C-alpha cells in the first residue's frame, strides 16, 4: 500500500516562505513521478510536478516563486514556496502522478 504524508504547512505573512515535504512509503520511490496540487473551494490546481529523472513543471501562477525537488535517499519530495501571496492560501496535496495515491494534505495560509 502506497502512502504519502505531507507536512510543513502553516500560517505565514505575505512575502514569506514555507517548505512542504511529501514522504512516500510502500513503493520503490525513485521511479515515481510526483505532483503537488492545491485545493481551494471549488478549484483544484496542479502546482508542480517532478519526474523520476528530476524534470520539473510548474503552473504559471507559481513559476519563479516555487521550486519542487526530490531526495530519493529520503523518499521525499519538497515544495519550496517563496514570495508567498494571500492567493496561495489552500490545502496542498501530493500525489503519485497517474495513480489513486494521495496524501492527506497540509494547510497553507498566507495573511496579507
Amino acid at each position: 500500500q502506497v502512502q504519502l504524508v505531507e507536512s510543513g504547512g502553516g500560517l505565514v505573512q505575505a512575502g514569506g516562505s514555507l517548505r512542504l515535504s511529501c514522504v512516500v512509503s510502500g513503493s520503490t520511490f525513485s521511479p515515481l513521478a510526483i505532483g503537488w496540487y492545491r485545493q481551494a473551494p471549488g478549484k483544484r490546481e496542479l502546482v508542480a510536478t517532478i519526474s523520476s529523472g528530476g524534470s520539473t513543471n510548474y503552473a504559471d501562477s507559481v513559476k519563479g516563486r516555487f521550486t519542487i525537488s526530490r531526495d530519493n535517499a529520503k523518499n521525499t519530495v519538497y515544495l519550496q514556496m517563496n514570495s508567498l501571496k494571500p492567493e496561495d492560501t489552500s490545502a496542498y496535496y501530493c500525489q503519485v502522478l497517474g495513480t489513486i495515491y494521495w496524501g492527506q494534505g497540509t494547510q497553507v495560509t498566507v495573511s496579507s
Side-chain angles (χ1 to χ4, degrees):
Q1 181 74 9
V2 179
Q3 292 187 319
L4 297 87
V5 179
E6 301 98 333
S7 63
L11 174 64
V12 64
Q13 289 188 329
S17 298
L18 286 173
R19 187 177 79 158
L20 307 184
S21 299
C22 171
V23 179
V24 181
S25 61
S27 176
T28 302
F29 178 74
S30 58
L32 301 179
I34 305 293
W36 279 101
Y37 290 79
R38 59 189 180 188
Q39 177 81 52
K43 178 183 176 183
R44 176 183 290 178
E45 180 182 21
L46 178 57
V47 174
T49 65
I50 188 164
S51 72
S52 59
S55 297
T56 59
N57 283 287
Y58 298 92
D60 288 343
S61 57
V62 306
K63 278 181 182 175
R65 301 188 298 123
F66 290 11
T67 302
I68 189 170
S69 62
R70 66 191 295 152
D71 184 339
N72 288 341
K74 296 182 178 180
N75 287 8
T76 301
V77 171
Y78 302 99
L79 186 68
Q80 178 67 45
M81 306 187 296
N82 298 330
S83 302
L84 283 161
K85 304 175 181 179
E87 52 263 44
D88 295 317
T89 295
S90 188
Y92 285 73
Y93 299 86
C94 57
Q95 186 212 18
V96 179
L97 293 176
T99 76
I100 60 172
Y101 301 115
W102 293 79
Q104 85 289 348
T106 187
Q107 179 67 35
V108 171
T109 303
V110 185
S111 63
S112 57

